[in-house]
Amino acid sequence: MNAQLSHHVADSVATVVIDHPAKRNAMTAAMWRALPELLGTLAADPRVRALVLTGAGGTFCAGADISTLRESPEEAQRLAVRAEEELAAFPKPTLAAIRGHCVGGGAQLAAACDLRFAEQGALFGVTPAKLGIVYPASATRRLTALVGPATAKYLLFSGELIDSERALRTGLVDEVLPGAALDERVAEFTRILASRSQLTQAAAKEFTAGRADRDAYWSEQARTGDDTAEGVAAFLERRAPRFTWTAPAPHSERDDRRPALQEPS
C-alpha cells in the first residue's frame, strides 16, 4: 500500500489518518508536504469543529521515513517543522489518538496537537540523539512546555522510549485508555468539543499558547457575538446551547491565528 494521509469528516469531527503500514506509519517527504495543505482545507470547512490525528492499524507514527534523510536532512526537517507549525496553528481543537509507537516525527506531530489520548502500551520517544540531528527549536520548546525541562532533557538526551503511564505522569499525554476503549473515548470527547463554543476554544487556544496581543480582539468578539447570551439562556432554560460563532476564514487570518509562541523572533 502506498504511503498516504487519508481523512474523513463525520459528526463535525475531521479525522486524519497517517497510513504507511510498511514502515509503521513513518512520514515520507510527500506526506509531510501534503499535511499543511490538508489542514488548510479542513480548517476552512465549516462542517469541522474539531480534528483527530491518528495512525492506521496498531501504531501512531514511527517518525520520519529515515530514507528521506539521506538526500537532505535540512529539507526533511524543514518539511516536518512546517507540518508541525500548521498543526499547532489549526484554529479548532486538535486531538492525537495514539496507539503503538509515537516516536520522533510522530511525537513531534502529537505534541503539536492540543490534546493527546493514548492506548495503554503505547510507547513514546524523541530520538534525534540517535541520529545526530538537532531537534527543531519550535518542537523543543513545545515539548518542554508540555513535560517540563527535566523530562524534555531525558527524552532528548537519551532518545529512550517511555511507556504510556510515564507519559501520563509527565504530561505528555492527557488520558490513557485500556485496549479498545480508545476509539470510544475519542469519539465521546470530540462530540463534547464539537458541542462547545468555538469562540471560547479559539480564544483559549491563543491565550494558552502565550499570545498576549489580542486581548482586545477577543473581548470585542465576545461583546459583539451571540455565544455568551446563547450560553446563558440555554443554561437558564435547561437546554443544549446552539453556539453560532465561527472562526474567520484561515486564508484571511493566517498570520493572526498563529500563536505568538511559534512566531520567529
Side-chain angles (χ1 to χ4, degrees):
M1 184 182 294
N2 293 331
Q4 63 178 338
L5 298 173
S6 61
H7 75 281
H8 64 273
V9 178
D11 299 325
S12 300
V13 178
T15 300
V16 175
V17 181
I18 304 168
D19 191 354
H20 188 187
K23 294 192 176 181
R24 292 193 301 185
N25 295 335
M27 293 283 289
T28 65
M31 293 166 76
W32 286 120
R33 289 191 186 95
L35 185 55
E37 181 177 355
L38 175 57
L39 292 171
T41 298
L42 294 174
D45 188 337
R47 299 174 299 163
V48 174
R49 298 179 68 95
L51 181 143
V52 173
L53 179 67
T54 193
T59 198
F60 181 73
C61 175
D65 188 334
I66 299 300
S67 64
T68 66
L69 300 178
R70 285 184 176 274
E71 295 181 3
S72 175
E74 296 82 4
E75 174 66 5
Q77 187 170 99
R78 185 189 69 79
L79 292 173
V81 167
R82 183 185 173 216
E84 169 203 353
E85 292 297 313
E86 290 297 321
L87 183 56
F90 194 79
K92 299 161 189 179
T94 56
L95 187 152
I98 300 165
R99 289 184 177 84
H101 283 72
C102 177
V103 179
Q108 190 174 347
L109 288 173
C113 291
D114 297 313
L115 300 163
R116 287 147 298 279
F117 288 7
E119 187 177 77
Q120 283 179 347
L123 294 172
F124 301 81
V126 184
T127 55
K130 293 183 177 181
L131 298 170
I133 294 171
V134 174
Y135 203 50
S138 59
T140 301
R141 295 186 186 106
R142 188 169 285 116
L143 177 67
T144 303
L146 279 176
V147 303
T151 298
K153 290 175 183 177
Y154 176 92
L155 293 168
L156 284 162
F157 290 2
S158 71
E160 292 294 286
L161 303 185
I162 62 172
D163 62 20
S164 56
E165 297 304 324
R166 183 166 182 177
L168 180 64
R169 290 197 307 272
T170 59
L172 186 57
V173 300
D174 300 285
E175 293 189 15
V176 172
L177 289 306
L182 178 63
D183 287 343
E184 181 179 351
R185 175 57 176 154
V186 168
E188 173 193 34
F189 193 77
T190 51
R191 281 196 296 269
I192 293 171
L193 294 178
S195 73
R196 304 306 195 217
S197 167
Q198 290 190 69
L199 173 63
T200 302
Q201 292 169 343
K205 188 157 183 169
E206 287 197 357
F207 294 159
T208 55
R211 186 155 189 171
D213 64 336
R214 294 232 295 172
D215 296 21
Y217 170 83
W218 289 113
S219 293
E220 179 69 7
Q221 291 294 305
R223 186 183 66 80
T224 59
D226 298 326
D227 273 19
T228 301
E230 167 62 14
V232 172
F235 179 83
L236 294 175
E237 296 166 15
R238 298 184 179 181
R239 61 173 174 83
R242 295 181 291 273
F243 295 118
T244 58
W245 187 92
T246 57
H251 69 271
S252 64
E253 291 288 319
R254 184 180 182 85
D255 292 333
D256 284 345
R257 68 186 173 87
R258 188 180 298 280
L261 183 65
Q262 309 309 329
E263 292 175 351
S265 56

mmCIF file of all heavy atoms in Angstrom, residues 85 89 141-142 205-214 255-265:
data_model
loop_
_atom_site.group_PDB
_atom_site.id
_atom_site.type_symbol
_atom_site.label_atom_id
_atom_site.label_comp_id
_atom_site.label_asym_id
_atom_site.label_seq_id
_atom_site.Cartn_x
_atom_site.Cartn_y
_atom_site.Cartn_z
ATOM 1 N N GLU A 85 4.029 23.177 12.583
ATOM 2 C CA GLU A 85 3.528 24.520 12.850
ATOM 3 C C GLU A 85 2.099 24.698 12.344
ATOM 4 O O GLU A 85 1.272 25.344 13.005
ATOM 5 C CB GLU A 85 4.452 25.554 12.192
ATOM 6 C CG GLU A 85 5.834 25.639 12.821
ATOM 7 C CD GLU A 85 5.770 26.084 14.265
ATOM 8 O OE1 GLU A 85 5.069 27.072 14.568
ATOM 9 O OE2 GLU A 85 6.395 25.429 15.112
ATOM 10 N N ALA A 89 -1.171 25.525 14.633
ATOM 11 C CA ALA A 89 -1.952 26.718 14.338
ATOM 12 C C ALA A 89 -3.374 26.403 13.874
ATOM 13 O O ALA A 89 -4.140 27.329 13.597
ATOM 14 C CB ALA A 89 -1.231 27.536 13.258
ATOM 15 N N ARG A 141 10.807 23.579 22.209
ATOM 16 C CA ARG A 141 10.065 24.463 23.116
ATOM 17 C C ARG A 141 8.680 23.906 23.415
ATOM 18 O O ARG A 141 8.200 23.974 24.560
ATOM 19 C CB ARG A 141 9.960 25.865 22.503
ATOM 20 C CG ARG A 141 11.303 26.567 22.359
ATOM 21 C CD ARG A 141 11.122 28.009 21.896
ATOM 22 N NE ARG A 141 12.413 28.622 21.626
ATOM 23 C CZ ARG A 141 12.906 28.885 20.425
ATOM 24 N NH1 ARG A 141 12.181 28.599 19.347
ATOM 25 N NH2 ARG A 141 14.080 29.438 20.267
ATOM 26 N N ARG A 142 8.043 23.350 22.401
ATOM 27 C CA ARG A 142 6.701 22.798 22.615
ATOM 28 C C ARG A 142 6.775 21.585 23.540
ATOM 29 O O ARG A 142 5.938 21.431 24.436
ATOM 30 C CB ARG A 142 6.100 22.424 21.257
ATOM 31 C CG ARG A 142 4.642 22.015 21.333
ATOM 32 C CD ARG A 142 4.028 21.921 19.940
ATOM 33 N NE ARG A 142 3.791 23.254 19.406
ATOM 34 C CZ ARG A 142 4.385 23.747 18.331
ATOM 35 N NH1 ARG A 142 5.265 23.015 17.665
ATOM 36 N NH2 ARG A 142 4.115 24.960 17.904
ATOM 37 N N LYS A 205 -7.202 28.860 22.964
ATOM 38 C CA LYS A 205 -6.073 28.287 22.245
ATOM 39 C C LYS A 205 -4.960 29.313 22.101
ATOM 40 O O LYS A 205 -3.774 29.002 22.279
ATOM 41 C CB LYS A 205 -6.531 27.776 20.879
ATOM 42 C CG LYS A 205 -5.480 26.981 20.130
ATOM 43 C CD LYS A 205 -6.106 26.062 19.106
ATOM 44 C CE LYS A 205 -5.052 25.227 18.408
ATOM 45 N NZ LYS A 205 -5.613 24.151 17.594
ATOM 46 N N GLU A 206 -5.305 30.541 21.772
ATOM 47 C CA GLU A 206 -4.288 31.586 21.658
ATOM 48 C C GLU A 206 -3.699 31.959 23.016
ATOM 49 O O GLU A 206 -2.478 32.095 23.149
ATOM 50 C CB GLU A 206 -4.883 32.827 21.002
ATOM 51 C CG GLU A 206 -5.134 32.664 19.530
ATOM 52 C CD GLU A 206 -5.341 33.980 18.805
ATOM 53 O OE1 GLU A 206 -5.346 35.054 19.468
ATOM 54 O OE2 GLU A 206 -5.477 33.952 17.588
ATOM 55 N N PHE A 207 -4.550 32.122 24.010
ATOM 56 C CA PHE A 207 -4.047 32.531 25.326
ATOM 57 C C PHE A 207 -3.105 31.486 25.918
ATOM 58 O O PHE A 207 -2.053 31.819 26.475
ATOM 59 C CB PHE A 207 -5.215 32.770 26.288
ATOM 60 C CG PHE A 207 -6.112 33.921 25.928
ATOM 61 C CD1 PHE A 207 -7.404 33.985 26.415
ATOM 62 C CD2 PHE A 207 -5.672 34.947 25.104
ATOM 63 C CE1 PHE A 207 -8.238 35.047 26.100
ATOM 64 C CE2 PHE A 207 -6.497 36.012 24.772
ATOM 65 C CZ PHE A 207 -7.790 36.066 25.276
ATOM 66 N N THR A 208 -3.467 30.204 25.816
ATOM 67 C CA THR A 208 -2.618 29.171 26.395
ATOM 68 C C THR A 208 -1.317 28.991 25.622
ATOM 69 O O THR A 208 -0.334 28.483 26.174
ATOM 70 C CB THR A 208 -3.345 27.813 26.462
ATOM 71 O OG1 THR A 208 -3.816 27.454 25.155
ATOM 72 C CG2 THR A 208 -4.528 27.881 27.425
ATOM 73 N N ALA A 209 -1.305 29.424 24.358
ATOM 74 C CA ALA A 209 -0.065 29.372 23.578
ATOM 75 C C ALA A 209 0.853 30.547 23.891
ATOM 76 O O ALA A 209 1.975 30.603 23.393
ATOM 77 C CB ALA A 209 -0.384 29.352 22.086
ATOM 78 N N GLY A 210 0.389 31.479 24.713
ATOM 79 C CA GLY A 210 1.226 32.592 25.130
ATOM 80 C C GLY A 210 0.988 33.876 24.378
ATOM 81 O O GLY A 210 1.705 34.862 24.595
ATOM 82 N N ARG A 211 0.001 33.903 23.501
ATOM 83 C CA ARG A 211 -0.245 35.124 22.747
ATOM 84 C C ARG A 211 -0.831 36.186 23.662
ATOM 85 O O ARG A 211 -1.778 35.928 24.410
ATOM 86 C CB ARG A 211 -1.193 34.852 21.574
ATOM 87 C CG ARG A 211 -1.352 36.067 20.692
ATOM 88 C CD ARG A 211 -1.741 35.711 19.283
ATOM 89 N NE ARG A 211 -1.670 36.894 18.449
ATOM 90 C CZ ARG A 211 -1.783 36.898 17.139
ATOM 91 N NH1 ARG A 211 -1.953 35.764 16.501
ATOM 92 N NH2 ARG A 211 -1.712 38.013 16.455
ATOM 93 N N ALA A 212 -0.296 37.403 23.591
ATOM 94 C CA ALA A 212 -0.699 38.456 24.529
ATOM 95 C C ALA A 212 -1.084 39.750 23.832
ATOM 96 O O ALA A 212 -1.240 40.771 24.496
ATOM 97 C CB ALA A 212 0.432 38.725 25.524
ATOM 98 N N ASP A 213 -1.255 39.704 22.512
ATOM 99 C CA ASP A 213 -1.532 40.943 21.778
ATOM 100 C C ASP A 213 -2.941 41.002 21.205
ATOM 101 O O ASP A 213 -3.257 41.903 20.431
ATOM 102 C CB ASP A 213 -0.511 41.120 20.641
ATOM 103 C CG ASP A 213 -0.610 40.018 19.590
ATOM 104 O OD1 ASP A 213 -1.107 38.921 19.939
ATOM 105 O OD2 ASP A 213 -0.196 40.250 18.446
ATOM 106 N N ARG A 214 -3.808 40.048 21.602
ATOM 107 C CA ARG A 214 -5.148 40.046 21.028
ATOM 108 C C ARG A 214 -6.235 40.019 22.095
ATOM 109 O O ARG A 214 -7.372 39.627 21.833
ATOM 110 C CB ARG A 214 -5.301 38.847 20.100
ATOM 111 C CG ARG A 214 -4.412 38.936 18.870
ATOM 112 C CD ARG A 214 -5.169 38.743 17.596
ATOM 113 N NE ARG A 214 -5.725 37.421 17.475
ATOM 114 C CZ ARG A 214 -6.565 37.048 16.497
ATOM 115 N NH1 ARG A 214 -6.934 37.916 15.599
ATOM 116 N NH2 ARG A 214 -7.010 35.810 16.433
ATOM 117 N N ASP A 255 -1.927 34.817 9.561
ATOM 118 C CA ASP A 255 -0.901 35.296 10.474
ATOM 119 C C ASP A 255 -1.472 35.551 11.855
ATOM 120 O O ASP A 255 -0.839 35.286 12.864
ATOM 121 C CB ASP A 255 -0.274 36.583 9.929
ATOM 122 C CG ASP A 255 0.527 36.331 8.666
ATOM 123 O OD1 ASP A 255 1.010 35.197 8.504
ATOM 124 O OD2 ASP A 255 0.655 37.249 7.840
ATOM 125 N N ASP A 256 -2.712 36.081 11.913
ATOM 126 C CA ASP A 256 -3.301 36.414 13.197
ATOM 127 C C ASP A 256 -3.602 35.192 14.042
ATOM 128 O O ASP A 256 -3.558 35.241 15.262
ATOM 129 C CB ASP A 256 -4.599 37.210 13.002
ATOM 130 C CG ASP A 256 -4.314 38.654 12.626
ATOM 131 O OD1 ASP A 256 -3.157 39.092 12.789
ATOM 132 O OD2 ASP A 256 -5.250 39.319 12.163
ATOM 133 N N ARG A 257 -3.940 34.055 13.387
ATOM 134 C CA ARG A 257 -4.331 32.901 14.182
ATOM 135 C C ARG A 257 -3.130 32.107 14.666
ATOM 136 O O ARG A 257 -3.272 31.217 15.486
ATOM 137 C CB ARG A 257 -5.282 32.005 13.382
ATOM 138 C CG ARG A 257 -4.634 31.321 12.200
ATOM 139 C CD ARG A 257 -5.671 30.576 11.379
ATOM 140 N NE ARG A 257 -5.107 30.048 10.154
ATOM 141 C CZ ARG A 257 -4.511 28.878 10.065
ATOM 142 N NH1 ARG A 257 -4.377 28.134 11.122
ATOM 143 N NH2 ARG A 257 -4.033 28.462 8.907
ATOM 144 N N ARG A 258 -1.926 32.388 14.171
ATOM 145 C CA ARG A 258 -0.754 31.633 14.598
ATOM 146 C C ARG A 258 -0.321 32.089 15.983
ATOM 147 O O ARG A 258 -0.112 33.255 16.213
ATOM 148 C CB ARG A 258 0.391 31.811 13.614
ATOM 149 C CG ARG A 258 1.569 30.891 13.904
ATOM 150 C CD ARG A 258 2.666 31.103 12.892
ATOM 151 N NE ARG A 258 2.206 30.789 11.554
ATOM 152 C CZ ARG A 258 2.123 29.560 11.076
ATOM 153 N NH1 ARG A 258 2.482 28.537 11.828
ATOM 154 N NH2 ARG A 258 1.673 29.340 9.863
ATOM 155 N N PRO A 259 -0.197 31.190 16.940
ATOM 156 C CA PRO A 259 0.194 31.590 18.279
ATOM 157 C C PRO A 259 1.532 32.309 18.311
ATOM 158 O O PRO A 259 2.471 31.954 17.598
ATOM 159 C CB PRO A 259 0.293 30.246 19.037
ATOM 160 C CG PRO A 259 -0.565 29.310 18.240
ATOM 161 C CD PRO A 259 -0.431 29.752 16.820
ATOM 162 N N ALA A 260 1.606 33.349 19.121
ATOM 163 C CA ALA A 260 2.832 34.149 19.191
ATOM 164 C C ALA A 260 4.032 33.314 19.615
ATOM 165 O O ALA A 260 5.155 33.599 19.254
ATOM 166 C CB ALA A 260 2.625 35.309 20.161
ATOM 167 N N LEU A 261 3.779 32.243 20.397
ATOM 168 C CA LEU A 261 4.878 31.399 20.867
ATOM 169 C C LEU A 261 5.670 30.817 19.719
ATOM 170 O O LEU A 261 6.866 30.573 19.835
ATOM 171 C CB LEU A 261 4.290 30.248 21.712
ATOM 172 C CG LEU A 261 5.283 29.287 22.352
ATOM 173 C CD1 LEU A 261 6.122 30.014 23.387
ATOM 174 C CD2 LEU A 261 4.545 28.122 22.998
ATOM 175 N N GLN A 262 4.996 30.637 18.553
ATOM 176 C CA GLN A 262 5.665 29.999 17.434
ATOM 177 C C GLN A 262 6.188 30.978 16.399
ATOM 178 O O GLN A 262 6.729 30.588 15.379
ATOM 179 C CB GLN A 262 4.691 29.034 16.741
ATOM 180 C CG GLN A 262 4.017 28.067 17.702
ATOM 181 C CD GLN A 262 5.004 27.347 18.581
ATOM 182 O OE1 GLN A 262 6.126 27.098 18.184
ATOM 183 N NE2 GLN A 262 4.610 27.024 19.792
ATOM 184 N N GLU A 263 5.974 32.278 16.604
ATOM 185 C CA GLU A 263 6.433 33.242 15.624
ATOM 186 C C GLU A 263 7.938 33.446 15.723
ATOM 187 O O GLU A 263 8.502 33.425 16.828
ATOM 188 C CB GLU A 263 5.731 34.584 15.824
ATOM 189 C CG GLU A 263 4.230 34.496 15.491
ATOM 190 C CD GLU A 263 3.510 35.776 15.810
ATOM 191 O OE1 GLU A 263 4.129 36.654 16.431
ATOM 192 O OE2 GLU A 263 2.349 35.911 15.404
ATOM 193 N N PRO A 264 8.614 33.626 14.594
ATOM 194 C CA PRO A 264 10.059 33.849 14.654
ATOM 195 C C PRO A 264 10.391 35.147 15.347
ATOM 196 O O PRO A 264 9.639 36.114 15.281
ATOM 197 C CB PRO A 264 10.464 33.883 13.176
ATOM 198 C CG PRO A 264 9.216 34.215 12.441
ATOM 199 C CD PRO A 264 8.083 33.646 13.234
ATOM 200 N N SER A 265 11.532 35.163 16.043
ATOM 201 C CA SER A 265 11.939 36.375 16.737
ATOM 202 C C SER A 265 12.682 37.282 15.785
ATOM 203 O O SER A 265 13.152 36.870 14.737
ATOM 204 C CB SER A 265 12.838 36.014 17.911
ATOM 205 O OG SER A 265 13.955 35.260 17.464
#
